[in-house]
Amino acid sequence: LLGRRGTIFVTAVISALTCFWSGLTNSWYHLFIARFFLGFGIGPKSSTVPVYSAECAPPNIRGALVMQWQVWTAFGIAMGFVADLALYYVPDRSGIVGLNWRLMLGSAGIPAIIVCTNVFFCPESPRWLLGKGRVADAYHSLARLRNTPLQAARDTYYIQKQLEAEDQLVSRGKLRIMELFTVPRNRRAALAAGIVMFMQQFCGVNIIAYYSATIFEESGFSTVSALAASLGFGLINWLFAGPAIWTIDTFGRRGLLLTTFPLMSLFLFLTGFAFWIPDRETRVGIVALGIYLFTIAYSPGEGPVPFTYSAEAFPLYVRDLGMSFATATTWFFNFIVSITFPRLLGAFKPQGAVGWYAAWNMIGFMLIL
C-alpha cells in the first residue's frame, strides 16, 4: 500500500516519536508502554529494509548490499554506547530527575529523523512498482540503480517475466499466508529463515548487547569502566561486520555460518569459565577478551547472514510475507532472551548463563550442517 519507501518513512517517524516519548516517562510501566509502541516502528522497518535492498541490488552484489542493514545496525549500537558514556555524568536539573538516562533514550530518535528526511531521495523498489503495474516508473527507478539504460531495460523485463511466471504458480483462492507454509518450496524457505533468525538471538549476542555492562560489572569492572568496555564491544561489532561485505558473496551464507558457530561457542565458553578465575585483574581481562573474540566471530557470520538469507530465500510473490515471518521470529526470541537473561544470571551465575548460550551455538552448527 505505502511502498517500501513509504513504509520506511512511517516506521522511522514512529521510532523517533517513541524514543522521545521514552525520555519523558515517569514510571516503569509508562516506559514499558513507550518501548512497546517503539516495536511498531522497529518491527516493520526491520522486515522492509532488507527486502527493499534485495529488490534494488544487482544479483552479483546483492548479498553485500543487503547486509548493509546489519553493518549500520551495529554502528547504531556502537553509537548508543557512545551516548551512554557521553551522557553518564549529566547532572539533574531542577524539577528533572534522571536527566542523563532521559537524554540517552531520547538521543536514539535522532537517526530516525535523518532517515525520515532522506528516504524519499532514494528510488522506489522496482519490483514493488512492477507488482502495481507501474512499468514506466519501475524502469526509471532501475535507471537510477543500474549503470546504463540498457541494463535498466533488461532488468525491468526480467523482473516482469519473473513476476508473471510466479503469478501462474499461485493457487487461486488461497491466502498467501497459507501458501507460505503449505507450498513445499515456501515451507523450506520459511524453515531455513526461521532457524537462522532463531539462532541470531540464541547465539548469545544480545545478552552482550543488552547486558554487557552488567556482565562486565559481575567480572569486577567499575560502572564507568563497564560502559567503556561495552563501547569496545559495539565498535568491534561494527568494524568486523565490514569484511562480510566481501566474504558473504565469496564464501556463501552457509559457509560463513558453519565457520563462525564453533568459534562463537568456544569464545562464550571461554568467557563463562573466566568467571571462576580468582584473581580480579586476570578475570576481567579474560572476560573482556572472550566477549571481544566472540563479537569478532559473530559480526561477519550470524550477524549479517540471517537478514540477507531471509530476504533472498522466498519467491517474489511471498517475499514480503516471508520476510515478515522471519523478522517476527527474530524479535520474538529477542524478547525471550532479553526477559529471561536476568533470571538465568541469578540462577546459574555468569558461568552457567553464558555457557547456556555457548551450548546453543553448538546446536546452531548442527542445524545449519
Side-chain angles (χ1 to χ4, degrees), residues 40-319:
F40 289 97
I42 298 299
K45 177 164 57 65
S46 59
S47 64
T48 301
V49 172
V51 170
Y52 173 65
S53 301
E55 292 175 343
C56 291
N60 60 317
I61 57 170
R62 182 173 293 141
L65 291 183
V66 173
M67 70 142 300
Q68 292 296 312
W69 159 263
Q70 176 63 26
V71 171
W72 296 106
T73 297
F75 178 77
I77 293 171
M79 290 302 100
F81 288 124
V82 169
D84 290 346
L85 272 176
L87 300 171
Y88 182 78
Y89 287 110
V90 172
D92 290 348
R93 300 287 187 245
S94 59
I96 303 176
V97 178
L99 181 59
N100 57 350
W101 67 260
R102 294 179 187 277
L103 291 174
M104 292 175 191
L105 293 178
S107 65
I110 296 174
I113 294 176
I114 297 173
V115 172
C116 290
T117 56
N118 286 277
V119 66
F120 284 108
F121 290 107
C122 302
E124 181 56 273
S125 162
R127 185 267 167 198
W128 182 82
L129 291 169
L130 284 171
K132 299 298 181 181
R134 297 164 58 181
V135 179
D137 289 337
Y139 167 75
H140 291 306
S141 179
L142 278 166
R144 296 177 60 189
L145 294 165
R146 300 296 184 264
N147 289 325
T148 66
L150 181 61
Q151 290 178 329
R154 177 202 63 189
D155 287 354
T156 303
Y157 176 79
Y158 284 165
I159 296 171
Q160 179 64 35
K161 288 302 178 183
Q162 187 175 10
L163 286 170
E164 291 175 0
E166 291 188 346
D167 188 57
Q168 294 174 0
L169 298 175
V170 177
S171 302
R172 303 302 176 188
K174 287 188 176 181
L175 294 174
R176 286 192 305 153
I177 188 65
M178 296 296 295
E179 292 194 349
L180 190 61
F181 302 102
T182 57
V183 175
R185 189 259 184 267
N186 297 343
R187 186 169 60 248
R188 288 191 294 269
L191 176 62
I195 287 174
V196 294
M197 286 297 199
F198 165 77
M199 284 308 309
Q200 188 178 57
Q201 301 305 318
F202 268 69
C203 72
V205 69
N206 281 329
I207 67 170
I208 300 172
Y210 298 158
Y211 298 105
S212 57
T214 301
I215 294 172
F216 283 125
E217 285 188 58
E218 288 276 346
S219 69
F221 280 83
S222 67
T223 300
V224 175
S225 297
L227 289 175
S230 298
L231 172 59
F233 155 76
L235 291 175
I236 290 173
N237 188 25
W238 175 50
L239 291 173
F240 280 88
I245 295 174
W246 295 276
T247 58
I248 198 167
D249 287 315
T250 303
F251 299 105
R253 287 64 164 150
R254 186 168 173 269
L256 286 175
L257 295 180
L258 291 176
T259 302
T260 55
F261 267 124
L263 293 174
M264 289 191 293
S265 179
L266 173 65
F267 296 141
L268 279 186
F269 275 126
L270 172 66
T271 302
F273 292 163
F275 281 92
W276 274 306
I277 298 175
D279 181 68
R280 176 188 173 278
E281 290 187 1
T282 305
R283 182 174 65 251
V284 297
I286 299 298
V287 167
L289 176 65
I291 288 177
Y292 292 162
L293 289 175
F294 166 82
T295 308
I296 290 171
Y298 166 84
S299 295
E302 187 62 8
V305 168
F307 278 95
T308 303
Y309 182 88
S310 300
E312 297 174 331
F314 297 95
L316 285 177
Y317 81 99
V318 291
R319 179 173 289 169

